[in-house]
Amino acid sequence: MSAPPTGLKQVFREVLRSKTGVIGIILLLFITSLALLTPFVAPFDIAKKWNDIQWWSDNPVLAAPGWMTIIMPDKYSTTIILDEFSSTTTQQGDIRIITLTGSFRYSFRNFPSEIKLVLDADYEVQKPQIRITLSRPDGEDIVIFQGLPNKGENIVNLSLDPQSQDLIVSYLFSNFGVAPSAVYPEVVLFAVKDANMNDRMKASVLRGIYRLNIDVIAFDDKTDVKPRLYVYGNAFGLFGTDAFRRDLIVGIMWGAPIALAFGTIAAVVTVLLQVIIGAAGTWFGTRSDELVQRAADFFLIIPVLPILILVNIIYGINIWALLGWVILFSLVGVSSKVARSMVLQIREEQYIEAAISYGASKKRMLFLYILPRMLPYMFALIALSAPIYIFLEAALSFLGLGDPNIPSWGRILGDAYGEGALYLGYWWWVIFPALMIILVSLGFTLLAYSFDKVVNPRLREE
Amino acid sequence: MSNLTRYMIKRVAILSLTLVLAIYATVVIANMGGYVDKLLKDQIKFEIVQRLNRDPKFAALSNEEKERLIAVQFNARIKAAGLDQPFPIRSVIQLTNALTLNLGRASFLKSASGSSMVSEIILERLPRTILLFTTGTVLASLLGLYLGLQQAKKALSRFDRSMILFSIFTYVQPPWFFGILFILLFSFYLRIFPPGGMVSAPPPADPLGYALDLLYHLALPLITWVFATFGYWSYTTRNIVLQTMSEDFVTAAKARGLPSNRVLFRYVLRPASPPIVTGMVFALVFSWTGAIITEAVFNWPGLGLLFLQAIEVLDAPVLIGLTVVLAYLIFLTVILLDIIYAILDPRIKISG
């Protein structure tokens, strides 16, 4: 067993030589590059819009990751957006009849999760009359909308809109003589025509080319209607969406810089402070040592998480204020104890005796001869505490007490938990943010372990 | 007076002072900006109005007289409660209230028995938290001690090294985090355990059925807790035992040909136990706060879930009460382990 290396360069070289160290560094580099990429892929104003539910309304709700359509093509589909229409206009006296036609192919093996119609309408005085029909591959024409739109965007969620549901019910009644109390337009419209076509479990999907016909009766020249049809699937993007239709990739990507910045800054500052306070306490004599020891008792007994919760409830703090409070409650801690035992060891060494003999000041010895010796240990301690602070932020966000303005992994997990993702099986909403936290903490942990192995001879593999 | 008693008295005195300071810090932090004062005043006003409204004579008074009567009673109560004093004095009053667990009335929450006294709400929950986390910590420590010993015997073997990695990894991941993943895996996908709660609703009537139902609900949080914490115990044990094993007196004992079990228990474990206890202090203190979110995740109706419920309805008196009670619990844990430490470490008996 050889003595542990003390030089910083040496330590780094040995860390880079160990398998765990390399894996740890690769993981952290991966997360760091993700963090650096984030502002380009998902600009900050998208992250700011995280709380603006309206912003996400075009996404499917609770969609699994998009690549699930490749793994399980029978169960997952993506969203189809129909926004290109050809139009023909005929003039009949005072009124104009505009006919818009668009078509799309539906080739998924499962039903859409929802259907939404957006009508962007404009007119001078009198509202145009609109009637929308879906022409199916089997030749059936089903009227899905009839009415007078308002100026601007009219959003009709066919799956929820009572008028549209009534239209479907009357279609079912005229064909099968039954009027079901609960009707599912997204199923009926895309089901093979039979008595079971309102039953998601029993009906089979009718695949082929669907055509949407929009007949507009316009009463003035200004009248114009721009339709859009959303046939929502249940798979979207790389990480899926949540119950608020938010694209999870935005939240997950923004979680990276937030977690890294918070964890690293908190770890560096607290470890530095703890080590300096711990070392100085021991170095400057018994009285200051006693003081630091008692302070350590104080910081041990004070319940940090509850106080952080309290502070958060009473004052409502953002992430930087949280950082400040965390540092305030970590002035003395485990790292001070490590520093203390190291000073007790180092001060017996010859070079310190030599420094004393030529009259170096105590402060000079502490900052130039003793603290630098602890640098490798400090790196190990920083790598070990960074994930603890990342989890602290995640814990507070999980409880709904994080910074309300930014998405973080803990907050996504908290939202998922709150919306019952664990009991309803929305696994993507839980697994991906959790995986990110695991990757970051694993990176730091492996790094800490390899540092520990280098500086702590009992762990060395020789 | 023996050295041991003297040592203990000194430690208890120092730690009690620390507890007072910690609770004082809580009081001051909670009251920055006069938040708690406003809360107390609102409570007093509420109580006065409630009591007066029950009095038929009060209803007969005119509005002006009502206002005046309320103001007079209010001022008297404020004075009696010391709320008209400057903050330094008020903070000491609040500190004494907190230290004597006189925690006031909750803003919204109630105990199952219908009381809205914070101390009663907390007292009702405390045994459940202790049931889950004491059992979990005892199981985790026994498992960890055993594995740590095995690791020390075969230091740097493949088993030892993978255990070290596992330990560091689980030390970093908090138990609640494993809780989330375990609920998804064991409860939703495998359907082995219930996703949360303490008993079924409605709970079984016969005592045996109740106990089994409780056990069934206890299993997953308990497994999570043990899984998340035993690694830390094994890692600490391993390092300390390994350090003791390299001491000269152990080598000498081995050289004298003593049986290896005897060497392990008498010459290694005995001197290694005090630092292991020190490790326990950190693990247990950490576990009290770790319990908060773990309970919230598992819907376990103890102190942690109470925290979550108090956060949801913004019940500040309950939150402050919980913080104070947790400070007490940590304090008691540290004292308890100090006593064990003092009994285990022979140096204290000699020098004091």
Side-chain angles (χ1 to χ4, degrees):
Chain A
M1 236 184 238
S2 63
T6 47
L8 204 51
K9 241 187 222 163
Q10 243 178 313
V11 169
F12 268 111
R13 204 177 306 137
E14 291 228 11
V15 164
L16 278 176
R17 217 181 283 158
S18 71
K19 217 188 291 167
T20 45
V22 170
I23 299 174
I25 286 175
I26 288 176
L27 280 176
L28 289 180
L29 279 180
F30 167 70
I31 302 285
T32 314
S33 44
L34 192 70
L36 293 175
L37 256 171
T38 304
F40 301 103
V41 179
F44 193 63
D45 53 305
I46 294 190
K48 263 195 193 153
K49 291 204 165 77
W50 190 250
N51 295 328
D52 179 7
I53 301 304
Q54 216 56 52
W55 169 263
W56 306 98
S57 64
D58 281 353
N59 291 344
V61 67
L62 287 168
W67 37 265
M68 285 306 286
T69 52
I70 301 166
I71 298 175
M72 295 167 115
D74 286 354
K75 285 193 170 167
Y76 290 95
S77 53
T78 48
T79 302
I80 296 170
I81 302 172
L82 177 65
D83 56 0
E84 273 178 37
F85 295 88
S86 60
S87 93
T88 50
T89 312
T90 46
Q91 194 79 32
Q92 288 190 349
D94 276 354
I95 57 170
R96 239 178 347 130
I97 296 176
I98 311 168
T99 309
L100 299 161
T101 315
S103 65
F104 61 93
R105 175 183 286 278
Y106 196 82
S107 45
F108 299 114
R109 292 188 195 93
N110 66 330
F111 292 104
S113 59
E114 249 180 325
I115 303 173
K116 188 174 82 175
L117 192 65
V118 180
L119 296 169
D120 201 354
D122 195 16
Y123 54 87
E124 215 167 281
V125 189
Q126 201 177 348
K127 291 178 178 177
Q129 278 181 18
I130 296 185
R131 180 187 148 99
I132 301 178
T133 324
L134 186 70
S135 302
R136 314 195 325 159
D138 59 358
E140 287 286 316
D141 288 337
I142 306 178
V143 178
I144 58 172
F145 178 82
Q146 246 175 339
L148 312 167
N150 296 319
K151 252 182 203 164
E153 271 205 346
N154 297 265
I155 297 172
V156 186
N157 187 329
L158 291 188
S159 311
L160 302 173
D161 182 54
Q163 269 173 316
S164 305
Q165 288 186 341
D166 285 348
L167 288 169
I168 304 293
V169 170
S170 61
Y171 168 80
L172 288 173
F173 186 74
S174 61
N175 280 281
F176 304 103
V178 284
S181 53
V183 67
Y184 304 100
E186 69 276 11
V187 179
V188 176
L189 292 175
F190 290 87
V192 171
K193 188 179 175 186
D194 60 29
N196 286 328
M197 70 191 297
N198 190 32
D199 189 332
R200 191 180 272 271
M201 294 299 146
K202 288 186 192 153
S204 42
V205 181
L206 179 69
R207 295 155 72 188
I209 305 227
Y210 285 77
R211 244 185 24 248
L212 195 69
N213 301 309
I214 299 127
D215 299 313
V216 183
I217 302 176
F219 300 100
D220 50 52
D221 288 346
K222 216 183 139 196
T223 303
D224 187 26
V225 175
K226 285 197 198 73
R228 254 185 349 244
L229 181 75
Y230 292 84
V231 181
Y232 285 119
N234 55 357
F236 180 88
L238 191 58
F239 294 137
T241 61
D242 65 10
F244 312 103
R245 299 172 190 269
R246 295 183 290 212
D247 189 352
L248 283 175
I249 194 172
V250 173
I252 284 170
M253 283 201 83
W254 269 103
I258 291 160
L260 273 184
F262 188 83
T264 321
I265 295 173
V268 168
V269 175
T270 53
V271 166
L272 272 179
L273 282 172
Q274 290 191 5
V275 165
I276 291 174
I277 290 174
T282 323
W283 181 239
F284 287 117
T286 40
R287 195 172 294 170
S288 62
D289 187 34
E290 184 69 16
L291 190 72
V292 172
Q293 297 281 60
R294 295 294 76 82
D297 282 338
F298 173 78
F299 283 102
L300 182 69
I301 282 189
I302 197 159
V304 177
L305 187 65
I307 289 191
L308 285 179
I309 291 174
L310 203 61
V311 166
N312 226 314
I313 290 281
I314 298 177
Y315 310 109
I317 51 178
N318 66 18
I319 193 151
W320 301 114
L322 177 66
L323 189 65
W325 282 100
V326 166
I327 291 168
L328 187 67
F329 286 120
S330 318
L331 286 177
V332 186
V334 182
S335 304
S336 314
K337 297 224 170 206
V338 177
R340 181 172 186 270
S341 59
M342 287 204 67
V343 169
L344 289 177
Q345 235 171 51
I346 293 173
R347 75 172 175 201
E348 304 301 327
E349 287 189 27
Q350 284 184 341
Y351 77 101
I352 298 293
E353 272 176 44
I356 297 172
S357 72
Y358 67 68
S361 78
K362 283 214 120 181
K363 219 160 105 190
R364 182 183 168 84
M365 282 191 272
L366 177 65
F367 282 97
L368 293 182
Y369 305 154
I370 292 178
L371 285 175
R373 272 285 300 277
M374 298 184 185
L375 267 181
Y377 287 85
M378 286 197 227
F379 275 101
L381 289 169
I382 288 170
L384 202 58
S385 8
I388 290 172
Y389 291 115
I390 291 176
F391 274 111
L392 183 65
E393 192 277 331
L396 284 171
S397 299
F398 183 83
L399 294 176
L401 296 173
D403 191 324
N405 298 313
I406 46 174
S408 78
W409 295 329
R411 203 177 144 201
I412 298 174
L413 280 177
D415 286 344
Y417 181 81
E419 294 291 320
L422 294 180
Y423 320 116
L424 300 167
Y426 308 134
W427 53 270
W428 58 92
W429 199 358
V430 179
I431 296 291
F432 296 121
L435 200 67
M436 294 305 287
I437 303 186
I438 289 182
L439 282 185
V440 175
S441 57
L442 191 64
F444 277 114
T445 308
L446 291 175
L447 202 61
Y449 174 64
S450 61
F451 266 114
D452 210 27
K453 231 167 27 181
V454 175
V455 293
N456 186 351
R458 266 191 304 283
L459 286 170
R460 302 185 76 191
E461 303 161 36
E462 301 177 46
Chain B
M1 202 195 294
S2 75
N3 283 328
L4 187 64
T5 344
R6 201 176 307 139
Y7 169 83
M8 279 320 301
I9 290 175
K10 196 178 139 203
R11 277 303 286 166
V12 171
I14 289 172
L15 285 172
S16 306
L17 192 70
T18 314
L19 175 72
V20 173
L21 276 177
I23 291 181
Y24 190 68
T26 310
V27 167
V28 170
I29 289 169
N31 211 357
M32 285 190 316
Y35 188 81
V36 175
D37 288 342
K38 194 181 156 297
L39 218 69
L40 286 175
K41 283 181 184 165
D42 286 350
Q43 262 182 22
I44 289 174
K45 190 154 205 164
F46 177 76
E47 279 168 26
I48 291 171
V49 172
Q50 276 233 314
R51 209 188 48 236
L52 286 176
N53 274 342
R54 278 197 295 269
D55 188 348
K57 269 183 259 165
F58 180 72
L61 296 174
S62 75
N63 274 346
E64 247 171 61
E65 279 173 314
K66 275 183 188 170
E67 292 282 331
R68 205 183 51 79
L69 192 61
I70 291 173
V72 168
Q73 292 205 358
F74 181 68
N75 286 334
R77 283 284 300 276
I78 292 285
K79 223 182 186 112
L83 282 173
D84 56 339
Q85 308 272 0
F87 181 68
I89 299 173
R90 259 184 300 136
S91 66
V92 173
I93 296 172
Q94 287 172 9
L95 173 67
T96 10
N97 281 343
L99 281 173
T100 51
L101 294 183
N102 181 2
L103 301 168
R105 205 172 279 277
S107 308
F108 307 101
L109 296 173
K110 277 192 164 60
S111 73
S113 55
S115 162
S116 62
M117 296 306 291
V118 173
S119 46
E120 277 174 43
I121 298 176
I122 292 178
L123 217 60
E124 184 183 81
R125 306 283 191 119
L126 188 59
R128 303 169 187 167
T129 298
I130 292 179
L131 169 70
L132 174 56
F133 295 98
T134 322
T135 320
T137 306
V138 168
L139 287 179
S141 62
L142 291 180
L143 186 62
L145 284 172
Y146 173 75
L147 286 173
L149 271 179
Q150 299 306 313
Q151 276 175 266
K153 276 187 193 164
K154 293 178 215 126
L156 298 179
S157 63
R158 184 180 283 267
F159 161 71
D160 180 36
R161 268 188 277 160
S162 33
M163 270 306 295
I164 292 174
L165 272 185
F166 175 83
S167 301
I168 301 186
F169 184 64
T170 52
Y171 169 69
V172 167
Q173 319 276 335
W176 64 267
F177 189 72
F178 288 116
I180 291 181
L181 300 177
F182 282 11
I183 290 175
L184 192 65
L185 180 65
F186 292 111
S187 182
F188 180 75
Y189 283 108
L190 302 177
R191 313 236 168 229
I192 302 176
F193 298 113
M198 193 171 77
V199 280
S200 309
D206 63 306
L208 181 70
Y210 188 90
L212 285 177
D213 192 47
L214 182 69
L215 216 58
Y216 175 53
H217 283 81
L218 184 67
L220 193 56
L222 200 61
I223 289 171
T224 307
W225 191 258
V226 172
F227 179 84
T229 53
F230 83 87
Y232 176 80
W233 295 89
S234 77
Y235 185 63
T236 319
T237 313
R238 171 209 185 266
N239 281 352
I240 294 165
V241 167
L242 221 51
Q243 191 174 5
T244 322
M245 272 178 167
S246 62
E247 300 271 357
D248 290 341
F249 59 82
V250 177
T251 322
K254 276 186 195 157
R256 284 206 306 270
L258 293 177
S260 66
N261 260 347
R262 192 168 161 172
V263 174
L264 186 66
F265 282 99
R266 255 201 103 110
Y267 290 84
V268 178
L269 271 190
R270 187 71 173 80
S273 49
I276 291 178
V277 169
T278 313
M280 281 184 199
V281 177
F282 288 102
L284 283 173
V285 166
F286 167 76
S287 81
W288 281 119
T289 31
I292 295 176
I293 303 172
T294 312
E295 274 191 6
V297 165
F298 283 103
N299 238 1
W300 185 262
L303 296 183
L305 192 64
L306 185 60
F307 248 108
L308 191 71
Q309 290 161 341
I311 291 169
E312 271 165 8
V313 296
L314 297 181
D315 200 321
V318 172
L319 285 172
I320 295 168
L322 277 170
T323 311
V324 170
V325 168
L326 267 174
Y328 257 108
L329 287 174
I330 296 173
F331 164 77
L332 292 176
T333 313
V334 175
I335 295 262
L336 185 74
L337 290 171
D338 255 8
I339 295 174
I340 298 175
Y341 187 95
I343 294 170
L344 285 175
D345 195 340
R347 281 168 296 184
I348 289 173
K349 273 185 215 150
I350 300 159
S351 67

